[in-house]
Amino acid sequence: MTMGEPVFTLRETVLPTDPDAVLHLVVSTGFFTGEEIRIAAELVEENLDKGAEKSGYHFVFMETGDGNVGDGNVGDGNVGDEIVGYSCYGRIPGTRTSYDLYWIAVGKRWQRHGLGRRLMTATEERIAALGGRQIFIETSSTQLYHPTHVFYERCGYILEHTFPDFYAPGDSKLVYVKRLG
Amino acid sequence: MTMGEPVFTLRETVLPTDPDAVLHLVVSTGFFTGEEIRIAAELVEENLDKGAEKSGYHFVFMETGDGNVGDGNVGDGNVGDEIVGYSCYGRIPGTRTSYDLYWIAVGKRWQRHGLGRRLMTATEERIAALGGRQIFIETSSTQLYHPTHVFYERCGYILEHTFPDFYAPGDSKLVYVKRLG
């Protein structure tokens, strides 16, 4: 690797430090309400308590470091590694092959480097490997989320439906979908 | 009351016997898959574990009996009372005034007496009292659920959107909505 170029590793196993890390990352984006932030951390805790299968919440973490566990460098789960982004997804209960992308976020200072796109692709690959055929994303219609809508559309998601005033008066829910394979 | 005419009482407090009672009631309808039945009982358990507010799952139970606790007759929570139907609803996390009606079911042998309609009205009144402005119901498009669709439409629900092949290939998700007051 080239000196000075950051290396990023993907990790799927959830660690006890992740609820806090996710909390800080989600707060740093400035996008989410207090209740949403609390929910983001709770989903990580549910995975830790019950496992990915039983909780229904799977994760992809993108972090700094080379991913070589125990070599004493960054990326081995030691202090110094930093989560730069993460996604949370799961099969929608009661469905056979429909998945929700519950969260995808990149920390404020790591944005605009294409990391969100890489995280999205990695997440879609994992969903496809689990047999997923449709991925749904729900998001707010408000102006704050305009860059998010553009991001989803660039990633190939189609606006399936708008639920007016869903979150609050004037704040509608957009449902995006991507059909796989 | 007239002799021989069954009396029904509404109850909102969840009892430790309710997860099992709900399980049997939901099984009796013959409508739901194993996973759905398991989820129905789990929502009752979540309420017992965490309370209505924290779990997000509120209930209305309709049962036989006069509702006079401790008078030794039916309706006082003693053995002999029977749950004839129930609904489960809650504010959708992240929204201010949108509610999901997660479940509404009347036991097989109590159907076709207008009890579902009474349960629906009682549930809508409680949602309105909590400040709810929209009630959503998600259901399957398959032929089995045709009477359910008719029931929702008679109760004033509008088909808001169809998500094709959501539950499984050929099994779409219908989203009904009722906007209150």
Side-chain angles (χ1 to χ4, degrees):
Chain A
M1 75 184 178
T2 314
M3 285 285 289
E5 223 177 58
V7 176
F8 301 105
T9 308
L10 299 175
R11 167 170 63 81
E12 291 178 80
T13 308
V14 180
L15 303 175
T17 49
D18 287 332
D20 258 12
V22 160
L23 200 83
H24 285 102
L25 185 139
V26 167
V27 167
S28 86
T29 65
F31 262 59
F32 302 103
T33 66
E35 185 179 10
E36 288 167 331
I37 292 162
R38 191 177 51 72
I39 291 170
E42 277 179 9
L43 303 190
V44 189
E45 282 160 12
E46 285 248 341
N47 175 298
L48 281 170
D49 286 353
K50 304 181 184 172
E53 275 315 305
K54 185 135 200 303
S55 72
Y57 302 120
H58 301 252
F59 292 86
V60 180
F61 297 99
M62 181 182 279
E63 46 192 6
T64 55
D66 58 10
N68 296 324
V69 176
D71 66 357
N73 293 324
V74 288
D76 53 3
N78 290 331
V79 177
D81 293 347
E82 187 189 342
I83 292 174
V84 302
Y86 88 109
S87 67
C88 173
Y89 66 94
R91 185 174 59 82
I92 302 171
T95 75
R96 258 197 260 164
T97 56
S98 291
Y99 280 71
D100 260 338
L101 181 64
Y102 299 111
W103 287 87
I104 183 163
V106 171
K108 189 73 177 174
R109 72 186 194 93
W110 297 98
Q111 289 176 7
R112 302 189 161 274
H113 293 89
L115 300 181
R117 188 67 175 265
R118 280 169 59 184
L119 203 46
M120 181 67 95
T121 303
T123 305
E124 289 170 358
E125 285 169 1
R126 280 152 180 80
I127 291 173
L130 290 169
R133 299 287 295 274
Q134 299 188 84
I135 304 175
F136 291 91
I137 309 178
E138 300 183 349
T139 189
S140 160
S141 66
T142 55
Q143 195 55 36
L144 175 67
Y145 289 87
H146 180 70
T148 313
H149 307 155
V150 172
F151 171 68
Y152 294 147
E153 284 159 19
R154 285 200 184 133
C155 289
Y157 287 77
I158 307 289
L159 179 59
E160 169 87 18
H161 192 66
T162 300
F163 291 92
D165 303 315
F166 183 85
Y167 294 111
D171 187 354
S172 302
K173 176 168 86 171
L174 311 185
V175 180
Y176 284 91
V177 68
K178 186 171 193 171
R179 299 194 166 87
L180 303 177
Chain B
M1 76 181 173
T2 313
M3 285 285 288
E5 222 176 61
V7 176
F8 300 105
T9 308
L10 298 176
R11 167 169 63 81
E12 292 180 79
T13 308
V14 180
L15 303 176
T17 48
D18 286 333
D20 259 12
V22 160
L23 199 83
H24 285 101
L25 185 139
V26 168
V27 167
S28 87
T29 65
F31 262 59
F32 302 103
T33 65
E35 185 179 9
E36 287 167 332
I37 292 163
R38 192 176 52 73
I39 291 170
E42 277 179 8
L43 302 191
V44 189
E45 281 161 11
E46 285 248 342
N47 176 298
L48 282 171
D49 286 352
K50 305 182 183 171
E53 276 314 306
K54 186 136 200 301
S55 72
Y57 302 120
H58 301 254
F59 292 86
V60 181
F61 296 98
M62 180 181 279
E63 45 191 8
T64 54
D66 58 11
N68 296 324
V69 176
D71 66 356
N73 293 323
V74 287
D76 54 2
N78 289 332
V79 179
D81 293 347
E82 185 187 345
I83 293 175
V84 302
Y86 87 108
S87 68
C88 173
Y89 66 95
R91 185 174 59 81
I92 303 172
T95 75
R96 259 197 260 163
T97 55
S98 292
Y99 280 70
D100 260 338
L101 181 64
Y102 298 112
W103 286 88
I104 184 163
V106 171
K108 188 74 178 174
R109 73 187 193 92
W110 298 98
Q111 290 176 7
R112 304 190 160 272
H113 293 90
L115 300 181
R117 188 67 174 265
R118 281 169 60 183
L119 202 47
M120 180 68 95
T121 302
T123 306
E124 289 170 357
E125 284 168 2
R126 279 152 181 80
I127 291 173
L130 290 169
R133 300 287 295 275
Q134 299 188 84
I135 305 176
F136 291 91
I137 310 178
E138 300 183 350
T139 190
S140 160
S141 66
T142 54
Q143 196 55 36
L144 176 67
Y145 290 86
H146 181 69
T148 313
H149 306 156
V150 172
F151 171 68
Y152 294 146
E153 284 158 20
R154 285 201 184 132
C155 289
Y157 287 77
I158 307 288
L159 179 59
E160 168 84 19
H161 191 67
T162 300
F163 290 92
D165 304 316
F166 182 85
Y167 294 111
D171 186 355
S172 302
K173 176 168 83 170
L174 310 185
V175 180
Y176 284 92
V177 67
K178 186 172 194 170
R179 300 196 165 86
L180 303 177

